Amino acid sequence: MNLSHLKQQFKHPNNAIFNNKKLCSKINGVIQIGACIGEEIPYWEELQIQNQIFIEPIPELFKNLEILANNQVHKPNVKCFNVAISDYDGIDDFHISTGSMCSSSLLDFDKDAIKYGLTMQTSNVIKVPVYTLDTLIEQSNIDMNNFNLLYIDVQGSEYSVIKGCQKNIKNFKYVFVEVNNIKMYENVVLYDEFDKYMKNLNFKLLDYRPLEGAQFTQSECLYVQS
């Protein structure tokens, strides 16, 4: 699948970032965690974001992501990492969804999650390397002056991602994240608690939108450092 076909398939009519031209003009680089097959890459290409890091733990998805990321016309500075991000370093189970692999998570599905869709079950468990974002940044010598947007879509592990980024969270001006409104995953931190945590880190909520087609199970949140 090429970038133009991908853009036609995955549209963002209600996305708080891609519809905000003023904000888009201020992005100098993005670190995207849970990048799946690279649905957003055509939009980073269109915006000509020069510095891009993509992180995706599932090997099958990562292969497509890496190809798309490295075939952008404007030739950005790209790094891709086939790992999971949380609040610890190690090797752990990653729960593959019965439906879309993009619904897979470090967290197992809650026993009641299936009532929200047949994809909300684990079909397989794989072992993946896990890092905190702080560890990955340090070990990979990432210059944080080049990145002011953190983009998170990790199916229930949002809180753990931020918790594992205490050294570097101050370097991000913007944080875009999909949060859970109901308990679809075991031990998930829901929106209210996550929002309080972000406010304690000096981020204010700039935009909040229910995720389209998700039965209000998830929402998109855009935070800005105040």
Side-chain angles (χ1 to χ4, degrees), residues 38-98:
E39 298 98 314
E40 287 81 15
I41 288 177
Y43 295 90
W44 306 133
E45 165 74 9
E46 182 178 297
L47 296 170
Q48 296 197 9
I49 304 301
Q50 191 56 36
N51 303 294
Q52 304 175 15
I53 290 176
F54 300 103
I55 302 170
E56 171 54 49
I58 303 176
E60 297 97 314
L61 302 183
F62 180 80
K63 290 177 182 178
N64 188 79
L65 169 70
E66 192 172 34
I67 292 170
L68 289 176
N70 287 297
N71 280 278
Q72 297 177 69
V73 174
H74 78 291
K75 302 298 181 184
N77 301 314
V78 171
K79 292 183 179 181
C80 299
F81 297 94
N82 188 199
V83 303
I85 300 296
S86 189
D87 56 357
Y88 59 93
D89 300 326
I91 303 291
D92 210 345
D93 292 339
F94 199 83
H95 302 87
I96 305 298
S97 167
T98 52

CSV table of all heavy atoms in Angstrom, one decimal, residues 38-98:
chain,number,residue,atom,x,y,z
A,38,GLY,N,1.3,2.7,9.8
A,38,GLY,CA,1.7,4.0,9.3
A,38,GLY,C,0.6,4.8,8.7
A,38,GLY,O,0.8,5.6,7.8
A,39,GLU,N,-0.6,4.7,9.3
A,39,GLU,CA,-1.8,5.4,8.8
A,39,GLU,C,-1.6,6.9,8.7
A,39,GLU,O,-2.1,7.6,7.8
A,39,GLU,CB,-3.0,5.1,9.6
A,39,GLU,CG,-3.5,3.7,9.7
A,39,GLU,CD,-3.1,3.0,10.9
A,39,GLU,OE1,-1.9,3.2,11.3
A,39,GLU,OE2,-3.9,2.3,11.5
A,40,GLU,N,-0.8,7.4,9.7
A,40,GLU,CA,-0.6,8.9,9.7
A,40,GLU,C,0.5,9.4,8.9
A,40,GLU,O,0.7,10.6,8.7
A,40,GLU,CB,-0.4,9.3,11.2
A,40,GLU,CG,-1.6,9.3,12.1
A,40,GLU,CD,-1.9,7.9,12.6
A,40,GLU,OE1,-1.0,7.0,12.5
A,40,GLU,OE2,-3.0,7.6,13.1
A,41,ILE,N,1.3,8.5,8.3
A,41,ILE,CA,2.5,8.9,7.6
A,41,ILE,C,2.2,9.9,6.4
A,41,ILE,O,2.9,10.8,6.2
A,41,ILE,CB,3.3,7.7,7.1
A,41,ILE,CG1,4.0,7.1,8.3
A,41,ILE,CG2,4.4,8.1,6.1
A,41,ILE,CD1,4.8,5.8,8.0
A,42,PRO,N,1.1,9.6,5.6
A,42,PRO,CA,0.8,10.6,4.6
A,42,PRO,C,0.5,12.0,5.1
A,42,PRO,O,0.8,13.0,4.3
A,42,PRO,CB,-0.5,10.0,4.0
A,42,PRO,CG,-0.5,8.5,4.3
A,42,PRO,CD,0.2,8.5,5.6
A,43,TYR,N,0.1,12.1,6.3
A,43,TYR,CA,-0.2,13.5,6.9
A,43,TYR,C,1.1,14.1,7.3
A,43,TYR,O,1.3,15.3,7.2
A,43,TYR,CB,-1.2,13.4,8.0
A,43,TYR,CG,-2.6,12.9,7.5
A,43,TYR,CD1,-2.9,11.5,7.4
A,43,TYR,CD2,-3.5,13.8,7.0
A,43,TYR,CE1,-4.1,11.1,6.9
A,43,TYR,CE2,-4.7,13.4,6.4
A,43,TYR,CZ,-5.0,12.0,6.4
A,43,TYR,OH,-6.2,11.6,5.9
A,44,TRP,N,2.0,13.3,7.9
A,44,TRP,CA,3.3,13.9,8.2
A,44,TRP,C,4.0,14.3,6.9
A,44,TRP,O,4.8,15.3,6.9
A,44,TRP,CB,4.2,12.9,9.0
A,44,TRP,CG,3.5,12.3,10.2
A,44,TRP,CD1,3.5,11.0,10.6
A,44,TRP,CD2,2.8,13.0,11.3
A,44,TRP,NE1,2.8,10.8,11.8
A,44,TRP,CE2,2.4,12.1,12.2
A,44,TRP,CE3,2.6,14.4,11.5
A,44,TRP,CZ2,1.7,12.4,13.4
A,44,TRP,CZ3,1.8,14.7,12.7
A,44,TRP,CH2,1.4,13.8,13.6
A,45,GLU,N,3.8,13.5,5.9
A,45,GLU,CA,4.4,13.8,4.6
A,45,GLU,C,3.9,15.1,4.0
A,45,GLU,O,4.6,16.0,3.6
A,45,GLU,CB,4.2,12.7,3.6
A,45,GLU,CG,4.4,13.0,2.2
A,45,GLU,CD,5.9,13.1,1.8
A,45,GLU,OE1,6.8,12.7,2.6
A,45,GLU,OE2,6.2,13.5,0.7
A,46,GLU,N,2.5,15.2,4.1
A,46,GLU,CA,1.9,16.4,3.6
A,46,GLU,C,2.3,17.7,4.4
A,46,GLU,O,2.5,18.8,3.8
A,46,GLU,CB,0.4,16.3,3.7
A,46,GLU,CG,-0.4,17.4,3.2
A,46,GLU,CD,-1.9,17.2,3.3
A,46,GLU,OE1,-2.4,16.2,2.7
A,46,GLU,OE2,-2.6,17.9,4.1
A,47,LEU,N,2.5,17.5,5.7
A,47,LEU,CA,3.0,18.7,6.5
A,47,LEU,C,4.5,18.9,6.4
A,47,LEU,O,5.0,19.9,6.9
A,47,LEU,CB,2.6,18.4,8.0
A,47,LEU,CG,1.1,18.4,8.3
A,47,LEU,CD1,0.9,17.9,9.7
A,47,LEU,CD2,0.5,19.7,8.0
A,48,GLN,N,5.2,18.0,5.7
A,48,GLN,CA,6.6,18.0,5.6
A,48,GLN,C,7.3,18.1,6.9
A,48,GLN,O,8.3,18.9,7.1
A,48,GLN,CB,7.1,19.1,4.6
A,48,GLN,CG,6.5,18.9,3.2
A,48,GLN,CD,7.3,19.7,2.2
A,48,GLN,OE1,8.3,20.4,2.4
A,48,GLN,NE2,6.7,19.7,1.0
A,49,ILE,N,6.9,17.3,7.9
A,49,ILE,CA,7.5,17.2,9.2
A,49,ILE,C,8.9,16.6,9.0
A,49,ILE,O,9.1,15.5,8.5
A,49,ILE,CB,6.7,16.4,10.2
A,49,ILE,CG1,5.3,17.0,10.3
A,49,ILE,CG2,7.4,16.3,11.5
A,49,ILE,CD1,5.2,18.4,10.8
A,50,GLN,N,10.0,17.3,9.4
A,50,GLN,CA,11.3,16.9,9.0
A,50,GLN,C,11.9,15.8,9.9
A,50,GLN,O,12.7,15.0,9.4
A,50,GLN,CB,12.3,18.1,9.0
A,50,GLN,CG,13.6,17.9,8.4
A,50,GLN,CD,13.5,17.4,6.9
A,50,GLN,OE1,12.6,17.8,6.2
A,50,GLN,NE2,14.4,16.5,6.5
A,51,ASN,N,11.5,15.8,11.1
A,51,ASN,CA,12.0,14.8,12.1
A,51,ASN,C,10.9,13.9,12.5
A,51,ASN,O,9.9,14.3,13.1
A,51,ASN,CB,12.7,15.5,13.3
A,51,ASN,CG,13.7,16.5,12.8
A,51,ASN,OD1,14.8,16.1,12.3
A,51,ASN,ND2,13.5,17.8,13.0
A,52,GLN,N,11.1,12.6,12.3
A,52,GLN,CA,10.0,11.6,12.6
A,52,GLN,C,10.6,10.4,13.2
A,52,GLN,O,11.6,9.8,12.7
A,52,GLN,CB,9.3,11.2,11.3
A,52,GLN,CG,8.7,12.4,10.5
A,52,GLN,CD,8.1,12.0,9.2
A,52,GLN,OE1,7.8,10.8,9.0
A,52,GLN,NE2,7.8,12.9,8.3
A,53,ILE,N,10.0,9.9,14.3
A,53,ILE,CA,10.3,8.6,14.9
A,53,ILE,C,9.1,7.8,15.1
A,53,ILE,O,8.0,8.3,15.5
A,53,ILE,CB,11.0,8.8,16.3
A,53,ILE,CG1,12.4,9.4,16.2
A,53,ILE,CG2,11.1,7.5,17.1
A,53,ILE,CD1,13.1,9.8,17.5
A,54,PHE,N,9.1,6.6,14.6
A,54,PHE,CA,8.0,5.7,14.6
A,54,PHE,C,8.3,4.5,15.5
A,54,PHE,O,9.4,3.9,15.3
A,54,PHE,CB,7.5,5.3,13.2
A,54,PHE,CG,7.1,6.4,12.4
A,54,PHE,CD1,8.0,6.9,11.4
A,54,PHE,CD2,5.9,7.0,12.5
A,54,PHE,CE1,7.7,8.0,10.6
A,54,PHE,CE2,5.6,8.1,11.7
A,54,PHE,CZ,6.4,8.6,10.8
A,55,ILE,N,7.4,4.1,16.4
A,55,ILE,CA,7.6,3.0,17.3
A,55,ILE,C,6.4,2.0,17.2
A,55,ILE,O,5.3,2.5,17.4
A,55,ILE,CB,7.8,3.5,18.7
A,55,ILE,CG1,9.0,4.5,18.8
A,55,ILE,CG2,8.0,2.3,19.7
A,55,ILE,CD1,9.1,5.2,20.1
A,56,GLU,N,6.7,0.8,16.9
A,56,GLU,CA,5.6,-0.2,16.7
A,56,GLU,C,6.2,-1.6,17.1
A,56,GLU,O,7.2,-2.1,16.5
A,56,GLU,CB,5.1,-0.3,15.3
A,56,GLU,CG,4.2,-1.4,14.9
A,56,GLU,CD,3.0,-1.5,15.9
A,56,GLU,OE1,2.3,-0.4,16.1
A,56,GLU,OE2,2.7,-2.6,16.4
A,57,PRO,N,5.6,-2.3,18.1
A,57,PRO,CA,6.1,-3.6,18.5
A,57,PRO,C,5.8,-4.8,17.7
A,57,PRO,O,6.5,-5.8,17.8
A,57,PRO,CB,5.5,-3.7,19.9
A,57,PRO,CG,4.2,-3.0,19.8
A,57,PRO,CD,4.4,-1.9,18.9
A,58,ILE,N,4.7,-4.8,16.9
A,58,ILE,CA,4.3,-6.0,16.2
A,58,ILE,C,5.2,-6.1,14.9
A,58,ILE,O,5.1,-5.3,14.0
A,58,ILE,CB,2.8,-6.0,15.8
A,58,ILE,CG1,2.0,-5.9,17.1
A,58,ILE,CG2,2.4,-7.3,15.1
A,58,ILE,CD1,0.5,-5.8,16.9
A,59,PRO,N,6.0,-7.2,14.7
A,59,PRO,CA,6.9,-7.3,13.6
A,59,PRO,C,6.2,-7.2,12.2
A,59,PRO,O,6.7,-6.5,11.3
A,59,PRO,CB,7.5,-8.7,13.7
A,59,PRO,CG,7.5,-8.9,15.2
A,59,PRO,CD,6.2,-8.3,15.7
A,60,GLU,N,5.0,-7.8,12.1
A,60,GLU,CA,4.3,-7.8,10.8
A,60,GLU,C,3.9,-6.4,10.4
A,60,GLU,O,4.0,-6.0,9.2
A,60,GLU,CB,3.1,-8.7,10.8
A,60,GLU,CG,3.4,-10.1,11.0
A,60,GLU,CD,3.2,-10.5,12.4
A,60,GLU,OE1,3.7,-9.8,13.3
A,60,GLU,OE2,2.6,-11.6,12.7
A,61,LEU,N,3.4,-5.6,11.4
A,61,LEU,CA,3.0,-4.2,11.1
A,61,LEU,C,4.3,-3.3,10.9
A,61,LEU,O,4.3,-2.4,10.1
A,61,LEU,CB,2.2,-3.7,12.3
A,61,LEU,CG,0.9,-4.4,12.6
A,61,LEU,CD1,0.2,-3.7,13.7
A,61,LEU,CD2,0.0,-4.6,11.4
A,62,PHE,N,5.3,-3.6,11.7
A,62,PHE,CA,6.5,-2.8,11.6
A,62,PHE,C,7.1,-2.8,10.2
A,62,PHE,O,7.7,-1.8,9.7
A,62,PHE,CB,7.5,-3.3,12.6
A,62,PHE,CG,8.8,-2.5,12.6
A,62,PHE,CD1,8.9,-1.2,13.3
A,62,PHE,CD2,9.9,-3.0,12.0
A,62,PHE,CE1,10.0,-0.5,13.3
A,62,PHE,CE2,11.1,-2.2,12.0
A,62,PHE,CZ,11.2,-1.0,12.7
A,63,LYS,N,7.1,-3.9,9.5
A,63,LYS,CA,7.7,-4.0,8.2
A,63,LYS,C,7.1,-3.0,7.2
A,63,LYS,O,7.8,-2.3,6.5
A,63,LYS,CB,7.5,-5.5,7.6
A,63,LYS,CG,8.4,-6.5,8.4
A,63,LYS,CD,8.1,-7.9,7.8
A,63,LYS,CE,8.9,-8.9,8.6
A,63,LYS,NZ,8.6,-10.3,8.1
A,64,ASN,N,5.7,-3.0,7.2
A,64,ASN,CA,5.0,-2.0,6.3
A,64,ASN,C,5.3,-0.6,6.8
A,64,ASN,O,5.5,0.3,6.0
A,64,ASN,CB,3.5,-2.3,6.4
A,64,ASN,CG,2.8,-1.5,5.3
A,64,ASN,OD1,2.8,-1.8,4.2
A,64,ASN,ND2,2.1,-0.4,5.8
A,65,LEU,N,5.3,-0.4,8.1
A,65,LEU,CA,5.5,1.0,8.6
A,65,LEU,C,6.9,1.5,8.2
A,65,LEU,O,7.0,2.6,7.7
A,65,LEU,CB,5.4,0.9,10.2
A,65,LEU,CG,5.9,2.1,11.0
A,65,LEU,CD1,5.0,3.3,10.8
A,65,LEU,CD2,6.1,1.8,12.4
A,66,GLU,N,7.9,0.7,8.3
A,66,GLU,CA,9.3,1.1,8.0
A,66,GLU,C,9.4,1.4,6.5
A,66,GLU,O,10.1,2.4,6.2
A,66,GLU,CB,10.2,0.0,8.4
A,66,GLU,CG,11.7,0.4,8.4
A,66,GLU,CD,12.6,-0.6,9.0
A,66,GLU,OE1,12.3,-1.8,8.8
A,66,GLU,OE2,13.6,-0.2,9.6
A,67,ILE,N,8.8,0.6,5.7
A,67,ILE,CA,8.8,0.9,4.2
A,67,ILE,C,8.2,2.3,3.9
A,67,ILE,O,8.8,3.1,3.2
A,67,ILE,CB,8.1,-0.2,3.4
A,67,ILE,CG1,8.9,-1.5,3.5
A,67,ILE,CG2,7.9,0.2,2.0
A,67,ILE,CD1,8.2,-2.7,3.0
A,68,LEU,N,7.0,2.5,4.4
A,68,LEU,CA,6.3,3.8,4.2
A,68,LEU,C,7.1,4.9,4.7
A,68,LEU,O,7.2,6.0,4.1
A,68,LEU,CB,4.9,3.7,4.8
A,68,LEU,CG,3.9,2.8,4.1
A,68,LEU,CD1,2.6,2.8,4.9
A,68,LEU,CD2,3.6,3.3,2.7
A,69,ALA,N,7.6,4.8,5.9
A,69,ALA,CA,8.3,5.9,6.6
A,69,ALA,C,9.5,6.3,5.8
A,69,ALA,O,9.8,7.5,5.7
A,69,ALA,CB,8.7,5.5,8.0
A,70,ASN,N,10.2,5.4,5.2
A,70,ASN,CA,11.4,5.7,4.5
A,70,ASN,C,11.2,6.0,3.0
A,70,ASN,O,12.2,6.1,2.3
A,70,ASN,CB,12.4,4.5,4.7
A,70,ASN,CG,13.0,4.5,6.0
A,70,ASN,OD1,13.7,5.4,6.5
A,70,ASN,ND2,12.7,3.4,6.8
A,71,ASN,N,10.0,6.0,2.6
A,71,ASN,CA,9.7,6.3,1.1
A,71,ASN,C,8.9,7.6,1.0
A,71,ASN,O,8.3,7.8,0.0
A,71,ASN,CB,8.9,5.2,0.5
A,71,ASN,CG,9.9,4.0,0.1
A,71,ASN,OD1,10.5,4.1,-1.0
A,71,ASN,ND2,9.9,3.0,0.9
A,72,GLN,N,9.1,8.5,1.9
A,72,GLN,CA,8.4,9.8,1.8
A,72,GLN,C,9.2,10.7,0.8
A,72,GLN,O,10.4,10.7,0.8
A,72,GLN,CB,8.3,10.5,3.2
A,72,GLN,CG,7.5,9.7,4.2
A,72,GLN,CD,7.4,10.3,5.5
A,72,GLN,OE1,6.9,11.4,5.7
A,72,GLN,NE2,8.0,9.7,6.5
A,73,VAL,N,8.5,11.5,0.0
A,73,VAL,CA,9.1,12.2,-1.0
A,73,VAL,C,10.0,13.3,-0.5
A,73,VAL,O,11.1,13.6,-1.0
A,73,VAL,CB,8.0,12.9,-1.9
A,73,VAL,CG1,8.6,13.8,-2.9
A,73,VAL,CG2,7.1,11.8,-2.6
A,74,HIS,N,9.6,13.9,0.6
A,74,HIS,CA,10.5,15.1,1.1
A,74,HIS,C,11.7,14.6,2.0
A,74,HIS,O,12.4,15.4,2.5
A,74,HIS,CB,9.6,16.1,1.9
A,74,HIS,CG,9.3,15.6,3.3
A,74,HIS,ND1,8.4,14.6,3.6
A,74,HIS,CD2,9.7,16.2,4.5
A,74,HIS,CE1,8.3,14.5,4.9
A,74,HIS,NE2,9.1,15.4,5.5
A,75,LYS,N,11.9,13.3,2.1
A,75,LYS,CA,13.1,12.7,2.7
A,75,LYS,C,13.3,13.3,4.1
A,75,LYS,O,14.4,13.9,4.3
A,75,LYS,CB,14.3,12.9,1.8
A,75,LYS,CG,14.2,12.4,0.4
A,75,LYS,CD,14.0,10.8,0.4
A,75,LYS,CE,13.9,10.3,-1.0
A,75,LYS,NZ,13.6,8.8,-1.0
A,76,PRO,N,12.4,13.0,5.0
A,76,PRO,CA,12.7,13.5,6.4
A,76,PRO,C,13.7,12.7,7.1
A,76,PRO,O,14.1,11.6,6.6
A,76,PRO,CB,11.3,13.3,7.0
A,76,PRO,CG,10.7,12.1,6.3
A,76,PRO,CD,11.2,12.3,4.9
A,77,ASN,N,14.1,13.1,8.3
A,77,ASN,CA,15.0,12.3,9.1
A,77,ASN,C,14.1,11.3,9.9
A,77,ASN,O,13.3,11.7,10.7
A,77,ASN,CB,15.7,13.2,10.1
A,77,ASN,CG,16.6,14.3,9.4
A,77,ASN,OD1,17.3,14.0,8.5
A,77,ASN,ND2,16.5,15.5,9.9
A,78,VAL,N,14.3,10.1,9.5
A,78,VAL,CA,13.3,9.0,10.1
A,78,VAL,C,14.1,8.0,10.8
A,78,VAL,O,15.2,7.5,10.4
A,78,VAL,CB,12.6,8.3,8.9
A,78,VAL,CG1,11.8,7.1,9.4
A,78,VAL,CG2,11.6,9.3,8.3
A,79,LYS,N,13.6,7.6,12.0
A,79,LYS,CA,14.0,6.4,12.7
A,79,LYS,C,12.8,5.6,13.1
A,79,LYS,O,11.8,6.1,13.5
A,79,LYS,CB,14.8,6.8,14.0
A,79,LYS,CG,16.1,7.5,13.8
A,79,LYS,CD,16.8,7.8,15.1
A,79,LYS,CE,18.2,8.5,14.8
A,79,LYS,NZ,18.9,8.8,16.1
A,80,CYS,N,13.0,4.3,13.0
A,80,CYS,CA,11.9,3.3,13.3
A,80,CYS,C,12.4,2.3,14.3
A,80,CYS,O,13.5,1.8,14.2
A,80,CYS,CB,11.4,2.6,12.0
A,80,CYS,SG,10.7,3.7,10.8
A,81,PHE,N,11.6,2.0,15.3
A,81,PHE,CA,11.9,1.1,16.4
A,81,PHE,C,10.9,0.0,16.5
A,81,PHE,O,9.7,0.4,16.8
A,81,PHE,CB,12.1,1.8,17.7
A,81,PHE,CG,13.2,2.8,17.7
A,81,PHE,CD1,13.0,4.2,17.4
A,81,PHE,CD2,14.6,2.5,17.9
A,81,PHE,CE1,14.0,5.1,17.4
A,81,PHE,CE2,15.6,3.4,17.9
A,81,PHE,CZ,15.3,4.7,17.6
A,82,ASN,N,11.3,-1.2,16.5
A,82,ASN,CA,10.4,-2.4,16.6
A,82,ASN,C,10.3,-2.8,18.1
A,82,ASN,O,10.8,-3.9,18.4
A,82,ASN,CB,10.8,-3.5,15.7
A,82,ASN,CG,9.9,-4.6,15.6
A,82,ASN,OD1,10.2,-5.7,15.2
A,82,ASN,ND2,8.6,-4.4,15.9
A,83,VAL,N,9.8,-2.0,18.9
A,83,VAL,CA,9.7,-2.2,20.4
A,83,VAL,C,8.4,-1.7,20.9
A,83,VAL,O,7.6,-1.0,20.2
A,83,VAL,CB,10.9,-1.5,21.1
A,83,VAL,CG1,12.2,-2.0,20.6
A,83,VAL,CG2,10.7,0.0,21.0
A,84,ALA,N,8.1,-2.1,22.1
A,84,ALA,CA,6.9,-1.5,22.9
A,84,ALA,C,7.5,-0.5,23.9
A,84,ALA,O,8.6,-0.6,24.3
A,84,ALA,CB,6.1,-2.6,23.6
A,85,ILE,N,6.6,0.5,24.2
A,85,ILE,CA,7.0,1.5,25.2
A,85,ILE,C,6.1,1.4,26.4
A,85,ILE,O,4.8,1.4,26.3
A,85,ILE,CB,6.9,2.9,24.5
A,85,ILE,CG1,7.8,3.0,23.3
A,85,ILE,CG2,7.2,4.0,25.6
A,85,ILE,CD1,9.3,2.9,23.6
A,86,SER,N,6.7,1.5,27.6
A,86,SER,CA,5.9,1.4,28.8
A,86,SER,C,6.7,2.2,29.9
A,86,SER,O,7.5,3.1,29.6
A,86,SER,CB,5.6,0.0,29.2
A,86,SER,OG,4.7,0.0,30.3
A,87,ASP,N,6.5,1.8,31.2
A,87,ASP,CA,7.2,2.4,32.3
A,87,ASP,C,8.3,1.5,32.9
A,87,ASP,O,8.7,1.7,34.0
A,87,ASP,CB,6.2,2.9,33.4
A,87,ASP,CG,5.4,1.7,33.9
A,87,ASP,OD1,5.5,0.6,33.4
A,87,ASP,OD2,4.6,2.0,34.8
A,88,TYR,N,8.8,0.6,32.1
A,88,TYR,CA,9.8,-0.3,32.5
A,88,TYR,C,10.6,-0.8,31.3
A,88,TYR,O,10.1,-0.7,30.2
A,88,TYR,CB,9.2,-1.5,33.3
A,88,TYR,CG,8.2,-2.3,32.5
A,88,TYR,CD1,8.6,-3.5,31.8
A,88,TYR,CD2,6.9,-2.0,32.4
A,88,TYR,CE1,7.7,-4.2,31.0
A,88,TYR,CE2,6.0,-2.7,31.7
A,88,TYR,CZ,6.4,-3.8,31.0
A,88,TYR,OH,5.5,-4.5,30.2
A,89,ASP,N,11.8,-1.4,31.5
A,89,ASP,CA,12.6,-2.0,30.5
A,89,ASP,C,12.6,-3.5,30.7
A,89,ASP,O,12.7,-4.0,31.8
A,89,ASP,CB,14.0,-1.5,30.6
A,89,ASP,CG,14.1,0.0,30.4
A,89,ASP,OD1,13.3,0.6,29.6
A,89,ASP,OD2,15.0,0.7,31.0
A,90,GLY,N,12.5,-4.2,29.6
A,90,GLY,CA,12.5,-5.7,29.7
A,90,GLY,C,11.9,-6.4,28.5
A,90,GLY,O,11.9,-5.8,27.4
A,91,ILE,N,11.5,-7.6,28.7
A,91,ILE,CA,10.8,-8.4,27.6
A,91,ILE,C,9.4,-8.7,28.2
A,91,ILE,O,9.3,-9.2,29.4
A,91,ILE,CB,11.5,-9.7,27.3
A,91,ILE,CG1,13.0,-9.3,26.8
A,91,ILE,CG2,10.8,-10.5,26.2
A,91,ILE,CD1,13.0,-8.7,25.5
A,92,ASP,N,8.4,-8.6,27.5
A,92,ASP,CA,7.0,-8.9,28.0
A,92,ASP,C,6.1,-9.4,27.0
A,92,ASP,O,6.4,-9.4,25.8
A,92,ASP,CB,6.4,-7.6,28.7
A,92,ASP,CG,5.5,-7.9,29.8
A,92,ASP,OD1,5.1,-9.1,30.0
A,92,ASP,OD2,5.2,-7.0,30.6
A,93,ASP,N,4.9,-9.9,27.5
A,93,ASP,CA,3.9,-10.4,26.6
A,93,ASP,C,3.2,-9.3,25.9
A,93,ASP,O,2.9,-8.2,26.5
A,93,ASP,CB,2.9,-11.2,27.4
A,93,ASP,CG,3.4,-12.5,27.9
A,93,ASP,OD1,4.4,-13.0,27.4
A,93,ASP,OD2,2.8,-13.1,28.9
A,94,PHE,N,2.9,-9.5,24.6
A,94,PHE,CA,2.1,-8.5,23.9
A,94,PHE,C,0.9,-9.2,23.3
A,94,PHE,O,1.0,-10.3,22.7
A,94,PHE,CB,2.9,-7.9,22.7
A,94,PHE,CG,2.3,-6.6,22.2
A,94,PHE,CD1,2.6,-5.4,22.9
A,94,PHE,CD2,1.5,-6.6,21.1
A,94,PHE,CE1,2.0,-4.2,22.4
A,94,PHE,CE2,0.9,-5.4,20.6
A,94,PHE,CZ,1.2,-4.2,21.3
A,95,HIS,N,-0.3,-8.8,23.6
A,95,HIS,CA,-1.6,-9.5,23.3
A,95,HIS,C,-2.1,-9.1,22.0
A,95,HIS,O,-2.5,-7.9,21.8
A,95,HIS,CB,-2.6,-9.2,24.4
A,95,HIS,CG,-2.1,-9.6,25.8
A,95,HIS,ND1,-1.3,-8.7,26.6
A,95,HIS,CD2,-2.2,-10.8,26.5
A,95,HIS,CE1,-1.0,-9.4,27.7
A,95,HIS,NE2,-1.5,-10.6,27.7
A,96,ILE,N,-2.1,-10.0,21.0
A,96,ILE,CA,-2.6,-9.7,19.7
A,96,ILE,C,-4.1,-9.9,19.6
A,96,ILE,O,-4.6,-10.9,20.0
A,96,ILE,CB,-1.9,-10.7,18.7
A,96,ILE,CG1,-0.4,-10.6,18.8
A,96,ILE,CG2,-2.3,-10.4,17.3
A,96,ILE,CD1,0.2,-9.2,18.5
A,97,SER,N,-4.8,-8.9,19.1
A,97,SER,CA,-6.2,-8.9,19.0
A,97,SER,C,-6.7,-9.9,18.0
A,97,SER,O,-6.0,-10.2,17.0
A,97,SER,CB,-6.7,-7.5,18.6
A,97,SER,OG,-8.1,-7.5,18.2
A,98,THR,N,-7.9,-10.5,18.2
A,98,THR,CA,-8.5,-11.4,17.3
A,98,THR,C,-8.9,-10.7,16.0
A,98,THR,O,-9.1,-11.4,14.9
A,98,THR,CB,-9.8,-12.0,17.9
A,98,THR,OG1,-10.6,-11.0,18.3
A,98,THR,CG2,-9.4,-13.0,19.0
